[in-house]
Amino acid sequence: MRMTRYATLATLAAGLALGAGARAQDTVKIGLILPMTGPFASTGKQVEAAVRLYIARNGGTAAGKKIEVILKDDTGVQPETTKRLAQELIVQDKVAILAGFGLTPLARATAPVATEAKVPMIVMAAGTSIITNDSPFILRTSFTLAQSASVIAAWAAKSNIKKVFTIVSDFAPGIDGENSFKSGFAPSGGTIVGELRTPLQNPDFAPFLQRAKDAAPDAVFVFLPSGQGAAFMKQFAERGLAGAGIKLIGPGDVTDDDILNGMGQPAIGTITAHFYSAAHDSKENKAYVEAFEKANAGMRPNFMSVGGYDGMHLIYETLKKTGGKVDGMAFVDAAKGMTWTSPRGPVKIEPDTRDITQNIYIRKVENVGGKLYNVEFDKVEMVKDPGKK
Ligand code: VNL
């Protein structure tokens, strides 16, 4: 009796040890680094919610592997912090994949870590063209500023907008947006009557808007990072630019779905080019918005969320192709060329650049049943990043 009991316990202990080992191998750990606090916390909140939603809707396993997400808050402003968190996730937590990256400087600082450790790095939010050149282990499911800025430039040129004043946030995606707007707009006969760059943190837009108004353009082109649009919109109205007949155009970051409804009247009529609107008319998007709002106390998904959702889709589908293995470059190779229907529409991961190709929609802010939405009225299909050298 005692012997049996002893044997049983020993077997049980051995079984537990084996189980733990087997469990570790059966798990794919994803280190998700996002700005969960600080000035860009809305981006972190949206991407995290979408990652959780993807897992809830598709199950906690992929190719037989348990998916475990380890979330780290990098507070969004210190590239060195993001890089250190990535190193810790790889060395201590043994993550197989890095993901997230709310802003360009944070993604760029981390790229060498991915290269050195041969760990795939899924950029779910940041949007400067050069990022995918920084490491052969980077795959992007967000967007590039050049995609949306080039499309709004072409639209402006054929829409009787002749003089434009540009205002962009003074960091990499702002410079990308400004350059690609200018190179699309000027050759088609447009004139840039002024260009200003606003500080990335705590910007006061009033003096910039006054100078834009004094230049009497047909339109102001604006790029601001997700989260800053409401303050800009308020001052655009208060400074009398709308009243002076100056249109507001740009990439869709300024009319971000996360805060658009709260902007009220001043936002109505803003025309932007972007890859995602919560009002996008497709069955995939209707189901996405409904599930997202239900899981997040009514929060409306924005463009950042879709980068997170599609990033998870790319991870799940690639694991299916590799039989659940994440061997650095083999995983990246398996992800190349992947196509699917996202809530945003059709997308593709370009095999040569590892960047996302997607439709860019032209949208106008309208009141739809008492709520403000970016209503799509035209599109350019499957835009490859025009910013790739
Ligand atoms: C970036 C681009 C960040 C677009 C954004 O919001 C944005 C970036 C935080 O590449 O850093 O809307």
Side-chain angles (χ1 to χ4, degrees):
M1 180 67 182
R2 263 173 95 180
M3 274 305 284
T4 318
R5 184 132 150 244
Y6 176 79
T8 309
L9 283 176
T11 315
L12 191 72
L16 277 177
L18 200 85
R23 268 201 301 281
Q25 279 175 8
D26 285 344
T27 300
V28 172
K29 289 189 190 176
I30 302 169
L32 181 64
I33 312 178
L34 291 168
M36 300 307 297
T37 55
F40 306 103
S42 68
T43 292
K45 178 188 67 176
Q46 286 272 348
V47 174
E48 190 209 354
V51 165
R52 306 257 179 244
L53 179 65
Y54 190 89
I55 296 171
R57 291 179 85 194
N58 295 277
T61 59
K65 303 276 178 172
K66 184 174 181 301
I67 302 296
E68 182 184 337
V69 173
I70 303 175
L71 175 67
K72 298 283 177 191
D73 174 13
D74 66 8
T75 74
V77 286
Q78 278 293 342
E80 284 309 309
T81 304
T82 313
K83 183 178 181 182
R84 177 180 49 77
L85 289 172
Q87 279 160 341
E88 288 172 9
L89 281 162
I90 291 170
V91 174
Q92 287 161 25
D93 298 295
K94 311 250 180 304
V95 301
I97 297 170
L98 292 169
F101 307 103
L103 291 97
T104 292
L106 314 177
R108 298 205 69 187
T110 309
V113 177
T115 305
E116 204 194 334
K118 301 187 167 40
V119 166
M121 171 171 162
I122 319 294
V123 175
M124 295 172 157
T128 303
S129 290
I130 201 167
I131 291 174
T132 47
N133 293 350
D134 286 344
S135 169
F137 291 89
I138 291 181
L139 296 155
R140 172 155 46 196
T141 56
S142 47
F143 59 97
T144 73
L145 265 300
Q147 286 175 325
S148 42
S150 62
V151 168
I152 198 71
W155 180 85
K158 66 168 199 214
S159 303
N160 213 24
I161 292 176
K162 309 236 179 292
K163 291 189 289 176
V164 170
F165 195 103
T166 64
I167 300 180
V168 300
S169 188
D170 192 7
F171 75 129
I175 314 304
D176 263 15
E178 182 191 281
N179 285 337
S180 80
F181 182 79
K182 284 198 287 193
S183 59
F185 185 60
S188 354
T191 308
I192 304 292
V193 293
E195 24 184 304
L196 289 174
R197 296 177 182 174
T198 60
L200 174 58
Q201 288 196 60
N202 307 312
D204 171 13
F205 301 115
F208 298 91
L209 285 167
Q210 191 57 50
R211 287 178 60 187
K213 188 182 176 194
D214 293 346
D218 299 319
V220 165
F221 166 93
V222 67
F223 163 75
L224 300 171
S226 183
Q228 291 185 355
F232 182 90
M233 210 55 96
K234 189 162 171 277
Q235 293 183 1
F236 191 85
E238 281 172 7
R239 290 268 141 183
L241 280 87
I246 301 170
K247 292 190 174 64
L248 188 60
I249 62 173
D253 310 68
V254 72
T255 57
D256 181 350
D257 269 302
D258 191 58
I259 49 175
L260 175 60
N261 194 42
M263 293 182 197
Q265 185 64 29
I268 290 180
T270 305
I271 295 189
T272 57
H274 216 42
F275 64 94
Y276 180 70
S277 163
H280 177 66
D281 190 10
S282 72
K283 70 174 192 314
E284 291 82 9
N285 188 48
K286 283 202 172 67
Y288 177 68
V289 173
E290 199 184 300
F292 191 98
E293 291 186 343
K294 195 166 164 215
N296 295 286
M299 175 166 82
R300 188 194 290 185
N302 74 354
F303 62 95
M304 292 298 193
S305 81
V306 181
Y309 195 79
D310 285 333
M312 289 307 288
H313 184 82
L314 183 63
I315 291 171
Y316 271 53
E317 292 306 309
T318 304
L319 285 172
K320 288 178 195 169
K321 285 179 73 178
T322 62
K325 289 204 200 51
V326 191
D327 294 336
M329 199 41 91
F331 181 91
V332 174
D333 284 341
K336 290 177 181 173
M338 191 92 76
T339 59
W340 68 96
T341 304
S342 153
R344 68 183 103 179
V347 298
K348 176 180 182 192
I349 300 298
E350 290 299 332
D352 52 342
T353 62
R354 293 160 279 101
D355 216 337
I356 190 159
T357 289
Q358 56 193 331
N359 291 350
I360 298 295
Y361 306 88
I362 306 178
R363 318 93 50 84
K364 185 177 192 173
V365 176
E366 289 176 17
N367 183 327
V368 182
K371 289 189 179 151
L372 299 194
Y373 280 98
N374 292 295
V375 178
E376 295 168 355
F377 64 89
D378 204 355
K379 69 178 169 205
V380 181
E381 283 183 34
M382 295 310 267
V383 179
K384 276 193 199 185
D385 175 26
K388 288 282 178 292
K389 304 269 162 11

